[in-house]
Amino acid sequence: MRTPGRFEEHECTFITWPCFTDLEINFFEKEIISFVQKLSIYEKVVIISDPSNYKKANKYCGDFASIYSIATDWSWIRDNGPIFIKNPDQSIEAIHFNFNAWGAKYSPCNTVKEMPKLLLEKINIKRHFSNLILEGGGVTFDGNGTMVTTEQMLLNENRNPGYTKKNIENEVRKLLGIEKVIWLKKGLFEDKSTDGHVDCVAEYLSPGKILIQTIYEKNNPNYEILNENYNIIKNETDASGQKLEIIEMPYLPYFSQKYKNNIYVSPYTNYYIANGVVMVPEVDLALDSKAYKIIEQIYPDRNICPVKSFYQAIGGGGPGCITQQLPKGKNAKI
C-alpha cells in the first residue's frame, strides 16, 4: 500500500462549502464558487456541505459540481478530511486521522470529527481510524513511500503529546506505507494558526523532486527558517535512498490589501494540482508572473490557473488547503 502524490491522476476533488466558523463568509464563498467553477473544467468536483448550507451550495455550484449534504462545522478539508491510500491491486482505502481544530485553538469542533466517516460511507471506501492528529496540510508525499512534514506541527504538544518521532513514523508506516519521514523544523513565521504546515514551505512535484520555498530578503522573518529547511532537504535522502532534486521558489508574496490592519501571505507552494491544471494563488502581480513561470516549467503539460485567495489567506490557508483529492482507483467512482 502507498499514499499517492497529489500530482497523480485524480478521480475528483473534494471541497467543503464555507461554514459558520469561517471568517468573512460571504467573500469566502465567492472565492470558493469561482475556484470550483474553474476547477470543474478539468476534473469532477464534489462539495461537502453542512445541511444548513446545502441549498445555497447547490444554487451556486450545482450546475458544475456534485453537492453532498454531510454535517460539518469546519471547511479546510485538506486538514480534516480523509487521506487516501492505494493498494497494489489499484483499490483505494482511506485513513481517518484524529482532528482537534489545529491544536484546540478553535471551537466548536464537533461534527467535523465524524465528517470523514460519513463521506467514506457515502462513496463506499474502506476507512481506517487513527488517534494520531495529522492534518493533510502538514504533510506532503512523493507517492513512493516518502513523507515530508514539520516538527512544529506533528510533534506539537497541542497535537500529539504522547507521541515520539518514532511513534509517529511507525504509525504512518503502518497506515500510509511511509518508509521515510523527512522532518523539517518549522513552517512559515506567519503560520501561527496551523503551527507551521509544510504546504507553505514544501511540496512534492514527483518522486525524487520537490519544490522548496526560499527567500532572498534577509530582513524577512522567514529567511533563517527557510534556509534551515533548504539545508535539511539538501542533505536528506528519500525512501529509495536517493538525494532529492530541489526546485526553489524564491518568491514569497504578501497581499497589499490588509485585513484588520494585518498583512497576509499566500505562498505559491500552496497551489493545488489537478488533472491538467495547477491552481495558483493570485497575490502580487509583479511576483505572480515570476512564480508562474517556475510552475509552468515544472508542469509544461498543465495549464496555470490563477485564483483569488485573499479570504482563504485571512482564514489561514490557500488553494491547497480548501481541497482534498481522491486518487484514481478501481473502486473510486464518483
Side-chain angles (χ1 to χ4, degrees):
M1 146 265 291
R2 67 183 186 91
T3 305
R6 198 183 301 189
F7 45 81
E8 297 183 45
E9 192 176 6
H10 303 171
E11 170 66 20
C12 75
T13 295
F14 297 108
I15 294 176
T16 305
W17 186 259
C19 297
F20 68 92
T21 46
D22 286 307
L23 296 173
E24 301 295 343
I25 189 165
N26 292 330
F27 292 113
F28 189 27
E29 284 175 349
K30 287 178 182 175
E31 281 188 359
I32 294 294
I33 294 164
S34 174
F35 187 96
V36 172
Q37 196 162 18
K38 289 176 178 179
L39 179 57
S40 68
I41 295 167
Y42 297 92
E43 69 177 62
K44 297 176 206 169
V45 181
V46 175
I47 291 178
I48 311 300
S49 171
D50 186 78
S52 63
N53 297 320
Y54 178 81
K55 285 184 179 177
K56 193 173 189 182
N58 193 54
K59 176 182 177 182
Y60 289 107
C61 293
D63 289 343
F64 41 85
S66 300
I67 319 294
Y68 290 178
S69 180
I70 298 176
T72 185
D73 43 21
W74 280 99
S75 50
W76 313 104
I77 197 166
R78 174 69 55 189
D79 291 344
N80 52 50
I83 292 178
F84 296 93
I85 57 175
K86 185 177 276 193
N87 294 313
D89 67 356
Q90 304 305 301
S91 64
I92 301 294
E93 297 181 13
I95 313 304
H96 176 182
F97 287 101
N98 202 357
F99 180 70
N100 74 341
W102 302 278
K105 291 189 193 70
Y106 308 101
S107 63
C109 178
N110 301 318
T111 54
V112 69
K113 288 175 176 287
E114 291 298 305
M115 180 272 291
K117 178 175 181 287
L118 298 173
L119 171 60
L120 295 169
E121 285 174 354
K122 187 170 181 67
I123 62 175
N124 198 27
I125 298 283
K126 184 176 180 180
R127 179 184 74 111
H128 306 270
F129 180 76
S130 172
N131 274 315
L132 181 70
I133 291 173
L134 182 149
E135 296 137 20
V139 290
T140 182
F141 306 104
D142 73 343
N144 278 355
T146 312
M147 179 179 101
V148 179
T149 188
T150 67
E151 294 180 5
Q152 183 185 358
M153 185 277 289
L154 208 47
L155 289 175
N156 202 306
E157 285 292 311
N158 65 18
R159 304 293 208 286
N160 297 303
Y163 285 81
T164 63
K165 268 189 183 179
K166 184 57 71 177
N167 294 148
I168 291 171
E169 289 172 351
N170 288 339
E171 188 76 347
V172 296
R173 181 181 295 111
K174 179 179 71 175
L175 294 172
L176 300 173
I178 300 302
E179 297 299 328
K180 175 69 179 282
V181 179
I182 297 175
W183 294 90
L184 304 181
K185 297 296 184 186
K186 294 180 180 179
L188 285 185
F189 171 81
E190 292 85 0
D191 188 7
K192 305 289 196 288
S193 58
T194 70
D195 298 302
H197 270 187
V198 82
D199 58 9
C200 288
V201 296
E203 183 62 39
Y204 258 111
L205 306 172
S206 62
K209 190 173 181 179
I210 194 164
L211 184 68
I212 293 291
Q213 181 72 60
T214 56
I215 196 165
Y216 297 132
E217 296 80 19
K218 291 187 177 181
N219 61 342
N220 186 294
N222 288 292
Y223 182 80
E224 293 296 339
I225 294 169
L226 297 176
N227 196 44
E228 184 175 26
N229 285 346
Y230 180 86
N231 286 327
I232 291 170
I233 287 289
K234 185 177 69 174
N235 292 301
E236 275 286 4
T237 55
D238 62 18
S240 65
Q242 301 299 308
K243 288 280 189 182
L244 280 71
E245 179 185 349
I246 300 170
I247 306 294
E248 288 187 57
M249 174 54 75
Y251 309 112
L252 185 61
Y254 293 80
F255 290 99
S256 56
Q257 181 181 354
K258 292 184 179 181
Y259 178 71
K260 295 188 175 177
N261 216 32
N262 292 316
I263 296 172
Y264 288 86
V265 65
S266 185
Y268 301 113
T269 58
N270 197 8
Y271 61 72
Y272 180 62
I273 184 168
N275 300 340
V277 69
V278 186
M279 317 284 283
V280 190
E282 190 176 63
V283 189
D284 174 328
L285 287 177
L287 291 184
D288 288 354
S289 58
K290 295 176 181 178
Y292 296 171
K293 282 178 184 172
I294 292 174
I295 297 171
E296 282 171 355
Q297 289 168 354
I298 295 167
Y299 297 113
D301 298 329
R302 284 178 160 95
N303 292 330
I304 305 301
C305 180
V307 290
K308 301 290 186 188
S309 59
F310 180 73
Y311 292 97
Q312 293 161 55
I314 69 167
C321 309
I322 60 173
T323 50
Q324 180 60 275
Q325 70 280 356
L326 172 61
K328 279 279 187 190
K330 70 177 187 181
N331 62 324
K333 303 299 176 192
I334 300 294

